[in-house]
C-alpha cells in the first residue's frame, strides 16, 4: 500500500474500488469508486436502489471483500487490517431487525461488552446512548413491545454506545416517522460535534440536505458527483424551480425550451436564473394559476444527474 | 423453543410410564434428545435467524472472532437447556439407572453428542446460506427429530439385531449406546466401545474442520 493513501485527515478513503458480484450474470456493483471522507464529517452517499451504496458501506465495514482497488479506514486497509478497523467502527445495517426478547438496554450493554469495553464503561456508554436517542425511559421494555421507530433507535443507540470513531449507517432512518427521524438527525449531528465521523446512506433527500457536510452520488456503481450541498446544487444548469398548480394545460411557457416535469395538475419548470423564475411566476399568477419559485432542491439535482426523467 | 425441546424429549417417557416399558432406556433417550436436538436446531436456526435479521452484519463488523461467535451460538442454548438435562440425569441417578461411577462417562458422551450435532448444524447452515429462514428451520426440525427418533436413542441398539452398527453412525445413538454401556444396561466388547468413542470424536473433529474451512466470516 502506498503511503499517500494514508492521509491522516481521512477517516475513509477508497481508490479505484470495484465490486463485481459473480453469478449467472456478473453484476458490477461498484466501478472504480474514488472518494475520501474526512475525520469529523458527516458524509452522505445518495443513489437509487442498486446504485452500490450498501456495497460500498459493506466493504468499508469489512463485511465484504472488494474485487479490485483499495479502501482504508483510519489508514487501515479493509482487506488486510480488518481486525484493526473493527475496533474503530460501528455499523447499522439496512433493514435490520431486533431480537424481540432483548431490551434496548441489553442491546447496548451486551454489544458493548462484546467489543471488549469494561462493565463500568459499558454501563455509562449504554446510558448515554439511550438518553441520546430518547429511549432511556423505555430501556427495560423488550423490543417486541417497542414501535418500529423505537426499535430502530435502539439499534442506533447500540452503535452509539460502542464509542466507535467511525459510524457507518445504512439508511438508519428508513421507516421512521418525521418526528422520530428528526430525533435521530439531532443525535447524529451531536455525534459529529463530539468528533465522530459518520458515513450515511439514505434515500431521503431532506436528510442529506439537513445533515451532510459533504454528499456523494452513486449511479449504477459510478461516483457521478461529490461535494458540499452548494457544489452539488451547482451541477445542473438550472438553478431555480417554479412550481405551478392549476389548469396547467393552458399555461404557455412562451415557447421557451424549459425542462418541465408534470404531476397531474402540477408542474415544475426549471429555469437558469431568478429573473426567469419571477417572470414565470408573474405570468402564471396572471393566468390564475398558483405558482411559487425557489432554488432547485437536492432531489431535483439528483434526479437530473441520474437521468431519472430522460423520458 | 427450548422449553418445547424439553417437553418433546419427555414425550416418550410419558408413553413408557403409562403403557409400561424400560423407563431407563427412555431416560437416556430424553437426555440425548435434549442435547442433540438443541445442538442441531440451535446451530441452524440461530445462525439463520442472525443472518435474516442482519444482526450478524453488526457482529462481523465488530472485534469479535468467528470462532467465539460459533461457540457462543452453540453454547448459549446448551446452557439454557441444562436444567432439563440435569432433571433427567437426577432422576436416572435417583432411580439407580445411572450409577454415580458412570456419571463422568455420561457427561463426556453428552458433551461429544452436543459438539457433534452442533458442528453438523453449523455445516448445514454454512452450506445452505442462500436457503430461506423457513426452509432451514423446517429442515433443522426434521433432521433433529430424525436424529432423535429414528436411530436407537430411545430404544436399545440390540433391537436392530445385526444392524446394530447403525447406532455408531449417528452421534445421538452412538452417545446413547455408550451411556447404556457405562450404566450397565448394555454390553459391548471393549474394543468396540473404544471404536465408538473414536467415531464420536471423529465426527466432531471432521465436522469442525469442514466448518472452519467452509465458513467465511466476510463475504467474497
Amino acid at each position: 500500500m502506498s503511503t499517500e493513501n494514508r492521509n491522516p485527515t481521512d477517516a475513509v478513503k477508497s481508490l479505484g474500488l470495484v465490486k463485481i458480484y459473480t453469478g449467472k450474470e456478473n453484476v458490477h456493483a461498484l466501478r472504480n469508486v474514488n472518494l475520501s471522507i474526512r475525520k469529523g464529517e458527516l458524509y452522505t452517499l445518495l443513489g437509487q436502489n442498486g446504485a452500490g451504496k450498501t456495497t460500498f458501506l459493506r466493504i468499508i465495514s469489512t463485511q465484504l471483500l472488494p474485487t479490485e482497488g483499495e479502501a482504508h479506514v483510519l489508514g487501515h486497509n479493509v482487506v488486510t487490517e480488518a481486525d484493526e478497523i473493527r475496533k474503530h467502527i460501528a455499523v447499522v445495517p439496512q433493514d435490520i431487525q431486533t431480537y424481540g426478547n432483548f431490551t434496548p438496554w441489553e442491546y447496548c450493554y451486551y454489544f458493548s461488552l462484546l467489543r471488549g469495553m469494561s462493565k463500568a464503561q459499558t454501563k455509562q456508554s449504554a446510558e448515554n446512548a439511550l438518553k441520546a436517542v430518547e429511549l432511556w425511559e423505555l430501556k427495560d421494555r423488550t423490543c417486541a413491545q417497542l414501535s418500529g421507530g423505537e426499535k430502530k433507535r435502539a439499534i442506533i443507540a447500540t452503535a452509539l454506545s460502542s464509542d466507535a470513531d467511525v459510524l457507518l449507517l445504512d439508511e438508519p432512518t428508513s421507516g421512521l416517522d418525521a418526528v422520530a427521524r428528526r430525533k435521530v438527525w439531532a443525535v447524529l449531528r451531536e455525534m459529529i460535534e463530539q468528533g465522530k465521523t459518520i458515513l450515511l446512506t439514505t434515500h431521503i433527500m431532506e436528510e442529506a440536505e439537513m445533515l451532510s457536510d459533504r454528499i456523494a452520488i452513486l449511479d449504477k456503481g459510478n461516483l457521478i458527483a461529490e461535494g458540499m450541498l452548494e457544489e452539488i446544487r451547482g451541477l445542473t444548469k438550472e438553478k431555480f424551480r417554479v412550481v405551478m398548480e392549476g389548469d396547467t394545460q393552458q399555461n404557455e411557457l412562451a415557447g421557451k425550451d424549459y425542462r418541465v416535469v408534470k404531476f397531474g395538475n402540477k408542474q415544475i419548470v426549471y429555469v437558469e436564473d431568478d429573473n426567469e423564475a419571477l417572470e414565470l411566476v408573474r405570468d402564471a399568477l396572471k393566468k390564475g394559476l398558483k405558482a411559487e419559485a425557489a432554488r432547485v432542491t437536492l432531489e431535483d439535482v439528483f434526479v437530473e444527474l441520474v437521468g431519472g426523467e430522460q423520458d | 423453543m427450548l422449553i418445547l425441546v424439553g417437553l418433546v424429549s419427555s414425550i416418550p417417557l410419558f408413553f413408557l410410564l403409562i403403557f409400561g416399558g424400560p423407563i431407563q432406556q427412555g431416560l437416556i433417550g430424553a437426555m440425548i434428545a435434549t442435547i442433540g436436538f438443541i445442538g442441531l436446531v440451535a446451530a441452524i436456526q440461530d445462525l439463520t435467524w442472525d443472518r435474516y435479521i442482519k444482526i450478524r452484519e453488526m457482529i462481523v463488523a465488530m472485534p469479535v472472532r468467528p470462532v467465539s461467535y460459533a461457540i457462543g451460538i452453540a453454547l448459549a442454548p446448551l446452557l439454557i437447556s441444562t436444567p432439563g438435562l440435569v432433571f433427567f440425569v437426577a432422576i436416572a441417578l435417583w432411580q439407580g439407572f445411572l450409577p454415580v461411577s458412570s456419571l463422568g462417562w455420561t457427561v463426556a458422551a453428552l458433551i461429544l453428542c452436543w459438539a457433534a450435532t452442533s458442528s453438523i448444524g453449523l455445516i448445514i447452515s454454512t452450506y445452505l446460506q442462500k436457503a430461506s429462514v423457513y426452509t432451514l428451520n423446517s429442515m433443522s426440525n426434521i433432521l433433529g427429530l430424525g436424529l432423535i427418533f429414528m436411530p436407537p436413542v430411545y430404544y436399545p441398539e440390540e433391537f436392530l439385531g445385526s444392524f446394530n452398527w447403525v447406532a455408531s453412525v449417528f452421534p445421538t445413538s452412538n452417545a446413547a449406546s455408550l451411556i447404556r454401556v457405562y450404566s450397565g444396561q448394555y454390553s459391548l466388547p471393549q474394543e468396540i466401545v473404544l471404536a465408538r468413542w473414536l467415531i464420536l470424536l471423529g465426527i466432531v473433529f471432521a465436522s469442525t474442520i469442514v466448518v472452519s474451512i467452509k465458513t467465511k466470516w466476510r463475504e467474497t
Side-chain angles (χ1 to χ4, degrees):
Chain A
M1 189 188 68
S2 52
T3 50
E4 66 269 23
N5 298 338
R6 290 181 181 262
N7 187 335
T9 62
D10 287 334
V12 177
K13 188 174 180 72
S14 76
L15 289 160
L17 204 61
V18 173
K19 181 64 192 177
I20 302 169
Y21 293 108
T22 52
K24 283 181 186 171
E25 280 182 34
N26 288 349
V27 177
H28 287 70
L30 292 176
R31 300 167 191 261
N32 196 33
V33 173
N34 299 298
L35 59 80
S36 61
I37 302 170
R38 294 171 202 134
K39 283 179 186 170
E41 78 174 345
L42 196 154
Y43 190 98
T44 301
L45 270 183
L46 289 176
Q48 293 173 280
N49 292 327
K53 306 183 298 293
T54 297
T55 297
F56 183 83
L57 192 135
R58 296 189 77 221
I59 290 173
I60 295 302
S61 59
T62 73
Q63 298 172 54
L64 182 67
L65 287 166
T67 307
E68 285 173 31
E70 285 185 13
H72 304 95
V73 178
L74 300 171
H76 301 290
N77 188 298
V78 294
V79 176
T80 57
E81 297 171 286
D83 287 345
E84 194 55 41
I85 290 171
R86 287 171 184 152
K87 294 175 190 167
H88 300 283
I89 61 170
V91 177
V92 174
Q94 192 184 124
D95 300 328
I96 188 168
Q97 296 172 48
T98 50
Y99 294 127
N101 54 349
F102 259 46
T103 64
W105 170 261
E106 287 168 335
Y107 258 106
C108 294
Y109 183 73
Y110 289 119
F111 274 74
S112 296
L113 275 187
L114 272 177
R115 303 183 69 93
M117 290 166 74
S118 71
K119 284 189 178 176
Q121 261 183 315
T122 301
K123 281 180 181 167
Q124 190 58 55
S125 65
E127 183 177 338
N128 292 344
L130 287 167
K131 282 180 175 168
V133 300
E134 296 184 21
L135 270 186
W136 182 245
E137 303 298 319
L138 304 176
K139 69 180 167 56
D140 295 322
R141 276 197 199 172
T142 62
C143 285
Q145 297 171 300
L146 300 177
S147 70
E150 287 162 350
K151 286 178 194 169
K152 206 58 172 273
R153 279 190 280 150
I155 293 291
I156 292 169
T158 306
L160 298 183
S161 67
S162 67
D163 202 28
D165 302 311
V166 181
L167 299 172
L168 305 166
L169 314 176
D170 198 356
E171 299 183 17
T173 60
S174 66
L176 296 189
D177 61 56
V179 175
R181 194 185 303 147
R182 288 184 179 207
K183 282 179 183 171
V184 172
W185 291 357
V187 173
L188 297 184
R189 280 315 312 182
E190 175 65 26
M191 291 298 113
I192 293 297
E193 298 305 315
Q194 291 175 17
K196 309 284 185 197
T197 305
I198 298 177
L199 169 58
L200 175 82
T201 74
T202 185
H203 282 297
I204 303 163
M205 298 295 158
E206 189 194 359
E207 186 165 286
E209 283 182 316
M210 293 302 293
L211 285 180
S212 313
D213 295 309
R214 285 193 303 147
I215 295 166
I217 298 176
L218 280 174
D219 184 38
K220 300 180 185 78
N222 297 297
L223 183 71
I224 59 169
E226 186 189 30
M228 298 198 316
L229 178 60
E230 288 310 308
E231 292 168 330
I232 299 285
R233 273 185 169 153
L235 292 175
T236 54
K237 66 176 182 179
E238 295 103 346
K239 304 289 183 263
F240 293 86
R241 67 193 325 246
V242 178
V243 180
M244 299 179 189
E245 185 180 351
D247 187 5
T248 52
Q249 298 289 347
Q250 294 175 11
N251 183 37
E252 293 167 8
L253 298 171
K256 289 188 180 173
D257 188 23
Y258 293 122
R259 185 160 69 89
V260 180
V261 182
K262 288 192 174 187
F263 304 99
N265 71 338
K266 286 188 181 178
Q267 63 180 0
I268 307 172
V269 183
Y270 294 98
V271 297
E272 290 181 28
D273 63 56
D274 51 350
N275 288 329
E276 274 182 297
L278 290 172
E279 193 180 326
L280 274 178
V281 170
R282 273 196 293 270
D283 287 351
L285 292 174
K286 277 181 198 166
K287 289 169 184 163
L289 300 170
K290 289 179 185 171
E292 60 182 13
R295 294 178 66 198
V296 287
T297 62
L298 179 61
E299 184 168 308
D300 294 325
V301 177
F302 174 80
V303 172
E304 171 74 357
L305 290 177
V306 301
E309 287 166 350
Q310 281 176 343
D311 295 332
Chain B
M1 193 277 280
L2 294 167
I3 293 165
L4 279 177
V5 168
L7 291 174
V8 169
S9 306
S10 309
I11 289 171
L13 287 179
F14 291 122
F15 284 105
L16 289 171
L17 282 170
I18 293 165
F19 298 110
I23 193 76
Q24 64 271 32
Q25 305 285 356
L27 271 173
I28 290 171
M31 289 177 213
I32 295 292
T34 304
I35 211 156
F37 200 73
I38 281 286
L40 187 83
V41 173
I44 296 177
Q45 295 190 355
D46 288 359
L47 268 185
T48 308
W49 187 247
D50 276 7
R51 194 175 71 227
Y52 179 70
I53 67 171
K54 298 195 173 182
I55 285 290
R56 182 120 61 97
E57 292 189 17
M58 281 182 93
I59 294 170
V60 169
M62 287 167 62
V64 174
R65 297 262 164 212
V67 68
S68 312
Y69 175 71
I71 291 172
I73 284 279
L75 205 55
L78 176 70
L79 294 176
I80 294 168
S81 68
T82 300
L85 192 63
V86 168
F87 175 71
F88 293 131
V89 172
I91 291 179
L93 285 168
W94 175 49
Q95 291 294 311
F97 302 143
L98 201 66
V100 176
S101 59
S102 69
L103 200 56
W105 293 111
T106 301
V107 171
L110 287 171
I111 288 172
L112 284 180
C113 177
W114 162 77
T117 51
S118 300
S119 308
I120 292 168
L122 291 172
I123 290 176
I124 291 168
S125 47
T126 303
Y127 269 89
L128 298 177
Q129 292 234 4
K130 289 182 180 167
S132 75
V133 63
Y134 307 106
T135 305
L136 280 166
N137 282 353
S138 306
M139 182 188 283
S140 67
N141 288 329
I142 292 165
L143 274 174
L145 291 172
L147 277 175
I148 301 304
F149 291 110
M150 296 291 283
V153 172
Y154 278 99
Y155 59 94
E157 69 175 66
E158 59 254 46
F159 279 22
L160 296 175
S162 59
F163 290 99
N164 69 333
W165 56 267
V166 169
S168 65
V169 175
F170 301 99
T172 45
S173 50
N174 199 356
S177 291
L178 285 167
I179 295 171
R180 286 190 181 108
V181 167
Y182 287 101
S183 61
Q185 296 173 33
Y186 182 55
S187 67
L188 280 172
Q190 203 60 34
E191 61 272 19
I192 299 290
V193 173
L194 181 64
R196 292 290 182 89
W197 279 113
L198 290 175
I199 290 171
L200 201 49
L201 274 167
I203 291 173
V204 175
F205 186 70
S207 321
T208 308
I209 296 285
V210 172
V211 169
S212 55
I213 291 170
K214 178 67 185 174
T215 306
K216 288 189 172 56
W217 192 231
R218 185 154 36 161
E219 290 173 41
T220 51

